Amino acid sequence: MNGPVPPIWTTGNTEVFKTGSWRAALPRHIRAPSPCHAACPVGGEIAEWIGLARARDFHGAWQVLTRHNPFPAIAGRICHHPCEAACNRAGFDESLSICKLERFVGDVALAEGWAFERPAAERGERVAVVGGGPSGLSAAYQLRRRGYRVTLFESQPALGGLMRYGIPPYRLARSVLDGEIARIVALGVEVRCGEPLASSADLEGLRREFDALYLATGARRQKRLPQLDYAQPWVMDGAAYLARASVGEAPALGRRIVVIGGGSAAFDAARSARRAGHEVTVVALEGVAELPAQREEINEALEEGVVLVAGSMLTAVSPLPARERGGGEGGLRLDFVRVRFEAGVRRGQFTVTPRPDSEFALVADAIVPSIGQDPDLAPLSGLDADGGLLKVDARLSTSAEHVYAGGDLASMDRFVTEAVGMGQRAAVAIDRALRGASGEPGDAEPTVKLGSIATAYYPTQARPAEQRLDAAQRTGGDAEVQLGLELEQALAESERCFSCGTCVFCDNCVNYCPDLAVKRGADGYVVLTDYCKGCGLCVKECPTGSMKMEEEAR
């Protein structure tokens, strides 16, 4: 329409031919959520920050990452990464290594000493956050960024919660943990360690002193096996063992240890015990395919010499007869039966059915049960509970005004990043309540599916292979097992991202339109309705799924 006018035309240009009346559907330029964003526990804008990393703007990528999660280097090491299972690339070749990319950006930030900006304006309201684990720290961070005066109460001597006292250093280096926590504190968060919430009177005192509360005291009351006498010196709960092992004080428990449980904490205890020099067997109710621990944790444990006995239940424990001890060494006989495990409707619910004639026994010097924890609700007796958890609504509000709760205290989704996401959502809810804001967010676009991506623009390329410290080197210390990406690996992996629903302004929609009906504007692309015939070429050639056809009713 803007080129030289053919001499045989009498109209002067083609703009008089408004062919848009021919169409039945109209394309629209959109910004839509990627499936990885929808699956992310913190609602991270994954396509956006990966795009910035692809352009080598790592500081910009870190800033986008930390809008929702102040722990990219931590999450990049320990997140259960549901985003990768949802990744559209999985239907093309292999899912993107999002977690490793996040770790890379987080590690760059720590190496460069990047800090969070102080809030632009201070508010007068005071908010107490009770619990210095991932959920409490996340809430404190989000509230402080919004200008609130935040006081963080923690019962332990140091902040970190599960990340410090439950996750071993070989999975999460303490320099990384300390560095990302220090950035939050540096925003101006008041920290008061060694101050537990011990009673309902303590809770009422905080309610009088502060304008709002966020409770994130975790789940520290250990579930117990009825077959075990926990008063015996040869029984040590898994959480207690991990708390000591994680600070370099693993207790001596004899040569042979049996860890009972199939979750991440059980495998962490087992692998920590291997590093302390023990022979370790893990016995789990679940079959191998149903184990709740992350698959890479299981594989790494097996590489390190941990023996796994799945689908089995402890039935009895008795002292080993003297004639079977050998050389006067003490010991225990553990009786088990093979079982069929069936998961229930809700997380944490299950049934087990013993298999006939499947009994067997193991010999051990100590037993480390690691079958989960429940919240201690005794200090919160004035608040409504629901099935052993503190009851909260969709905004994470409890039954008391301006008292919110999250993390393991209010959810069975026992993952660090789930707790971080709950802290973020609670901070947003507290902010809205204290400001008196109303209204709900509008409807979002549907998640972009693989069929909306023009995959012809992407060559097939495998994701980078997992890099781990050699198994022979692991058990001699606390060096991190999983290794990160190098710069060129990270850049290559960022190129694999489809940027689902996030426009990369490639101009394909402009260049392929036969009617010149798409124009690039300041904030995206505009479809000229007078000329678009609705052929859909702009949609078919979009490499990110950022153009969408919509039926027109006339």
Side-chain angles (χ1 to χ4, degrees), residues 346-433:
R346 295 181 61 183
R347 184 177 176 85
Q349 292 181 336
F350 59 87
T351 58
V352 291
T353 306
R355 298 183 184 276
D357 303 319
S358 63
E359 295 82 1
F360 67 97
L362 296 175
V363 172
D365 298 301
I367 304 170
V368 179
S370 186
I371 60 170
Q373 301 109 277
D374 293 317
D376 181 7
L377 300 182
L380 311 174
S381 57
L383 304 177
D384 290 350
D386 179 19
L389 300 173
L390 203 61
K391 186 176 181 179
V392 296
D393 62 16
R395 294 180 178 84
L396 300 181
S397 179
T398 70
S399 56
E401 185 179 13
H402 288 175
V403 178
Y404 300 77
D408 292 355
L409 178 63
S411 172
M412 285 299 296
D413 292 326
R414 302 291 170 83
F415 297 104
V416 166
T417 45
E418 294 284 357
V420 171
M422 294 182 79
Q424 175 189 212
R425 295 195 298 275
V428 171
I430 290 169
D431 176 48
R432 292 177 66 84

Side-chain angles (χ1 to χ4, degrees), residues 421-464:
M422 294 182 79
Q424 175 189 212
R425 295 195 298 275
V428 171
I430 290 169
D431 176 48
R432 292 177 66 84
L434 294 182
R435 288 190 295 108
S438 59
E440 296 293 334
D443 294 335
E445 291 284 346
T447 300
V448 174
K449 306 297 184 186
L450 178 59
S452 300
I453 306 294
T455 56
Y457 292 100
Y458 301 93
T460 57
Q461 182 180 346
R463 64 185 266 153

Side-chain angles (χ1 to χ4, degrees), residues 282-289 291 308-312 338-339 360:
V282 172
V283 183
L285 282 174
E286 301 90 349
V288 173
L291 288 169
L308 172 61
V309 180
S312 301
R338 303 280 183 183
V339 296
F360 67 97

